[in-house]
Amino acid sequence: MSTAEQAAGATEKLESLTIANNEAIEVGKDSDNEESGNEAEAGAGKKKKKNKKRNKKKKKAGLGAAGQTDTLSVPVSQLFPNSYPEGEICEYADDNRKRTTDEEMRAKDRLNEKQIFDLRRAAEVHRQVRRHAQSVIRPGMDLTTIADMIENGTRTLVEANGFESGIGFPTGLSINHCAAHYTPNAGDHVVIQNDDVLKVDFGVHVNGHIIDSAFTMSWNDRYAPLLDAVKDATNTGIREAGIDVRLCDVGAAIQEVMESYEIELDGKTIPIKPIRNLCGHNIGPYKIHSGKSVPIVANGDQTRMEEGELFAIETFGSTGNGYVHEEGVCSHYAKNDGAFTNPRIPSAKKLLQTITKNFGTLPFCRRYIDRLGESHYYLGLKTLVDSDIVMAYPPLCDTKGSYTAQFEHTLILRPTVKEVLSRGDDY
C-alpha cells in the first residue's frame, strides 16, 4: 500500500473512531438518569472517551515517528505529504504582545510561508534523526560510526539533493573538555567510554534554510547537574529572545541561570561556568553564522534582535575555566564568502572548484571531500586556508580534565509569534 493510501486509510479510521466516541459520550450522559441496567452502557461510553483522548494525544505528537523505520529509511515528505509539524509557539510579551492578533503582522507572516515550510521540514528531519541517535549511541561506539549514522540518516530523510536539501554542517561529536567543532577525519578511531560526556551537534538544510540543534549525552548520573544547568540556560535564552531584545540582555539572563548550578565531582563541589567565548548566532541562507552573535554572558552588546531573523540559541557549560582555545587537528571548514582571490596552485584551484560546486558557503569536513572521491588534496586545502579563501575551524577545548555540555535550538522571530522550530519531546 502506498503512503498516500495508508494516510487516507488512517484518516478514515480516525474519523470513524471520533464519531463512535462522540456517540458513546452522549450515551454516557443520557445514562446518568436511567436505570442501573444501563450503567454498563455508560461505562462503555467512558471507556471510549478515554480512548479518544489517547488517539488525540497521538495525533498531537505528530512527529511521524510511528511511520519511521528503525533504519531511518522513510523521507519525511512521505510521512507528511501536505505540511510539517510546527515548532513550539511562544507569544511575544509586553509591547509586542499585540503582534499575535494584529492583521498587518499576520499578513506579513503569510509572506514567509515557504521559508517556514522549509524550516519545519528540516526541523522534522532533525527530530527523527536525533531520536534514533539517542536510542542507539552508547559507550563502545566509534565516533565515525555515529557520524555516518547521523549524516546518512539526514541525507535519506531530507532527500539530499545538492543545494536544495541536505546536511547543514558536519556532525559535531565533541567529548569531555572538547566543547565544539570536533568531527572525525578519515582514520580517526575515537571510542566512547562509560564516563564520557558527548556533545552531538548537527544541522539540516532545505533550500539553504538551516536548522542547527544540539544535545549532550552522558552515561554517568554524576554529570546530570551539568546537563541540567546547560539545558536550563538554553531554555532561558529561548525565553528571553524576541523582537527588539538586546543581545546583552539575553546573555545576562543565560549567565545568571548557568552560574546558579554546581556539581560535585570526586568529592569537590565545582561551580558550573558558561564558556564565555562561545555563543549562539543568527543564521542566513546557506550561512550558519550570519553576523550577529548571541552571548551567553553579559557583555554589553546593545545590538537588538529583529523581526524575521533566524537564531541558533546555544549555551555551553563547563567545569573548567569557562574559556576555550583551539586544540587538535582541524576537521571543520567553510568557504569564505568574501574571498575573491584566485589560487595559483593547480591542486588548490581544483579543490576550490569542488568545494564551490558541492558546498558553496555551507560548512564541510574532510570526510565529505573524501566521499566525493577526492584524494591528495591536503596541500590544496592548506593553500586555500592560508589564503583565507577557506576558513578553518579547529576543535575548541577547555582545560584537560574538565567536562563541557551543550544544548541548542533554532528559533525564528516571526512577525506574529516566536517559533522554536527544533523543539521536540526530548529537549
Side-chain angles (χ1 to χ4, degrees), residues 129 133 137 146-155 171 173 200 202:
V129 171
I137 294 176
I146 296 171
D148 288 342
M149 172 189 66
I150 290 173
E151 291 165 357
N152 290 334
T154 297
R155 293 185 181 104
T171 302
L173 297 170
V200 182
F202 69 99

Side-chain angles (χ1 to χ4, degrees), residues 185-224:
N185 288 318
D188 289 353
H189 295 291
V190 179
V191 176
I192 300 176
Q193 306 299 317
N194 289 319
D195 205 43
D196 283 343
V197 177
L198 173 70
K199 280 74 62 184
V200 182
D201 187 357
F202 69 99
V204 186
H205 89 87
V206 175
N207 292 316
H209 302 301
I210 305 170
I211 291 295
D212 181 2
S213 188
F215 58 93
T216 299
M217 302 181 71
S218 68
W219 295 267
N220 189 328
D221 290 342
R222 72 176 189 157
Y223 301 115

